Amino acid sequence: MTARKRHQQTEVLVRWILIGLSAVSILTTIGIVLTLAYETFEFFSIVSIVEFFTSHRWAPVFDPPSFGVLPLVAGTMMIAVLSGLISIPLGLGSAIYLSEFASKKARKIIKPILELLAGIPSIVYGFFALTFITPLIRSVAPDTQIYNALSASIAVGIMTLPMVASLSEDAMMAVPDSIRQGAYALGSTKLEVAIHVIVPAAFSGIAASFMLAISRAIGETMIVAIAAGQTPNLSLNPFQSIQTMTGFMVNMALGDIQQGSIEFKTVFVVGALLFVITLILNLIARIIIQKTREVY
Amino acid sequence: MSIKVNVQNLNFYYGDFQALKGINMEIHENKITALIGPSGCGKSTFIKTLNRMYELIDGTKATGSISFDGTELLDKATDVVDLRKRIGMVFQKPNPFPKSITENVLYGVKRHGDVPKTEWKELLETSLRKASLWSEVEHKLNQSAFSLSGGQQQRLCIARTLATKPEVLLMDEPTSALDPIATAKIEELLEELKKEYTVIIVTHSMQQAARISDYCGFFLSGELIEFGLTKQLFSNPLDQRTEDYITGRFG
């Protein structure tokens, strides 16, 4: 066999191996979607879809059971919004400081510290919320329940802050220096350059970081399971115990439920809904990025 | 003939490296002053001292005196934001903001807030007219500046600078990224602009300096070798090194 022919055969073999490797993740995704879809379909053959989306009570293991998912969605959204109120302004502020104001030396020290925050396991944040943030909130507002949405939201916000800061900073640093100089040469202060030139120019990347932070908050499980409580509650009161979609799922998974039972199927139907919500958010993020992206 | 900017014994350092050595120069009002010299000779560094743009780079230092209409420009107490409004700058590569044409031109007045909103429209038109860009963009003022050609973008950057009503225009090789036709347009424009503004232009091209400037300075290794009327500098240089450079023996 000639060397040339051997090379060609190796090439073909490598190609098939690589296709096989990428197929693993694609097949897994398809498998997950199919499982979710199957169990969801089964669930809706027993419980009406109207009840699922309109009933205000979520009590799948009670007798009689009630399958209104709204309290869980409300809990998840409350965590997403409140944590966003922390991670977005603080993260963007840090990014503006790091990219436009900080000296090279300060950036070298601060950025790794910020990224260290992202490496802390979420269970640590959960206990931090329960043992530090909650007592702090209760010392200001004594009526706050031990398990409450606010404490968990603050912890989720702190956890997602580095993501917003780091990605936004990357986007702002990617704005060419020539544009920055143009703005300074017209007589702008640092703050004006940051707010009127750099942030708008980097908007697509910044918006993407916001969306990722919100998505991450929606999917966050450990912190909310530990600190937010297990009470499905259709309320906007952040001082109360709530339950999120992920919180419910982890609660059920830890409990003693029979495979194939209706309680078992609720885990999948809530999971499917979570999947759809995150998918929609990611699609919105993609559209924003495509519409606002600047090419230099 | 009045002196707009008077530079005396200017030294400039990037860290330990001295990039400008004892520069003296008198820049005349409503004239075009061209600065020539080989790469790395300090001509770009020199114009960056005139609007203190060098402050954006860490570890830089300027000593000596630059008097601008009697104000000491290097004095820390001189407000740099106000200074850059009065001494505008156009860069080597067109650098419009990723905004509409209108937004680009009105950027300065919106920040400085010294022109009432009712006059913005007029300012937009006059600035674009002065940069001889108006007829090409009047029908698409809300389009992105990035939709323009390179030459148009550079004229937009000139219009953007003119809109802040500067007295002096610094231009750092403004045509080096442009084709000959766009270059000719900008050179023509400079002739017009000098009626109202004092122009200082750094250029790589001796022909360009000879064509457009009234005064010319030749830089070499951080020193100003020769400075005087362009006609004289090109026809009868006083220094041997100037003669060698303009006759193309090096550089």
Side-chain angles (χ1 to χ4, degrees), chain B residues 70-90:
Chain B
T71 325
E72 178 50 54
L73 187 153
L74 291 177
D75 193 343
K76 281 282 164 205
T78 303
D79 178 21
V80 70
V81 168
D82 182 60
L83 173 72
R84 288 177 188 157
K85 221 175 83 185
R86 294 175 62 197
I87 303 186
M89 187 169 201
V90 176

Side-chain angles (χ1 to χ4, degrees), chain A residues 178 182 184-188 196, chain B residues 53 81 84 95 99 107 111-112:
Chain A
S178 63
Y184 279 117
L186 289 168
S188 319
H196 296 286
Chain B
M53 280 297 276
V81 168
R84 288 177 188 157
N95 57 350
K99 297 170 186 277
Y107 174 86
R111 299 294 85 77
H112 303 131

Side-chain angles (χ1 to χ4, degrees), chain A:
Chain A
M1 206 188 315
T2 64
R4 190 183 156 75
K5 199 155 187 196
R6 218 171 31 242
H7 280 311
Q8 276 176 348
Q9 281 181 341
T10 325
E11 195 87 322
V12 172
L13 189 68
V14 165
R15 191 184 138 92
W16 279 106
I17 290 174
L18 292 176
I19 289 176
L21 291 176
S22 38
V24 171
S25 66
I26 295 169
L27 289 176
T28 314
T29 311
I30 293 172
I32 291 173
V33 171
L34 285 180
T35 316
L36 283 177
Y38 175 75
E39 297 287 349
T40 303
F41 186 74
E42 291 266 291
F43 176 84
F44 284 125
S45 66
I46 302 165
V47 177
S48 99
I49 195 161
V50 177
E51 184 196 342
F52 184 69
F53 283 111
T54 57
S55 164
H56 292 183
R57 193 164 153 265
W58 180 258
V61 290
F62 286 17
D63 195 25
S66 174
F67 298 98
V69 80
L70 286 179
L72 294 185
V73 175
T76 293
M77 288 305 153
M78 185 143 74
I79 299 281
V81 170
L82 290 179
S83 71
L85 287 179
I86 290 170
S87 65
I88 289 175
L90 292 185
L92 184 58
S94 316
I96 291 176
Y97 169 73
L98 283 174
S99 126
E100 305 303 313
F101 288 83
S103 67
K104 259 189 199 152
K105 211 171 137 193
R107 187 183 308 141
K108 244 185 181 164
I109 299 168
I110 295 168
K111 209 177 175 194
I113 295 178
L114 203 63
E115 279 165 359
L116 203 70
L117 269 183
I120 298 174
S122 67
I123 186 147
V124 176
Y125 280 107
F127 281 105
F128 177 69
L130 193 60
T131 59
F132 184 77
I133 303 175
T134 302
L136 209 65
I137 297 170
R138 278 158 66 95
S139 69
V140 181
D143 289 341
T144 311
Q145 294 178 355
I146 297 256
Y147 298 105
N148 63 81
L150 183 62
S151 174
S153 299
I154 292 173
V156 174
I158 295 171
M159 187 188 70
T160 48
L161 188 160
M163 191 153 74
V164 175
S166 186
L167 292 175
S168 298
E169 198 237 5
D170 289 345
M172 285 159 66
M173 292 291 275
V175 176
D177 227 24
S178 63
I179 287 184
R180 219 168 256 120
Q181 288 185 6
Y184 279 117
L186 289 168
S188 319
T189 61
K190 275 192 174 181
L191 189 64
E192 286 168 346
V193 173
I195 292 176
H196 296 286
V197 180
I198 305 300
V199 168
F203 184 76
S204 75
I206 293 172
S209 81
F210 291 175
M211 283 301 188
L212 264 171
I214 299 283
S215 277
R216 183 86 171 73
I218 287 174
E220 174 48 36
T221 308
M222 222 53 228
I223 297 174
V224 294
I226 293 172
Q230 279 147 21
T231 329
N233 222 332
L234 188 59
S235 124
L236 290 176
N237 181 355
F239 299 102
Q240 264 184 359
S241 169
I242 56 152
Q243 188 167 47
T244 66
M245 299 164 78
T246 53
F248 164 75
M249 287 166 76
V250 75
N251 199 14
M252 289 302 270
L254 292 175
D256 195 15
I257 50 167
Q258 191 130 34
Q259 190 153 13
S261 66
I262 184 78
E263 293 90 348
F264 178 79
K265 292 191 199 315
T266 56
V267 176
F268 287 89
V269 77
V270 171
L273 185 59
L274 195 61
F275 176 75
V276 169
I277 291 175
T278 323
L279 190 72
I280 290 172
L281 272 179
N282 285 342
L283 283 178
I284 294 174
R286 250 165 210 272
I287 292 167
I288 292 176
I289 291 168
Q290 266 162 13
K291 281 214 165 153
T292 57
R293 169 130 94 214
E294 300 293 350
V295 183
Y296 299 104

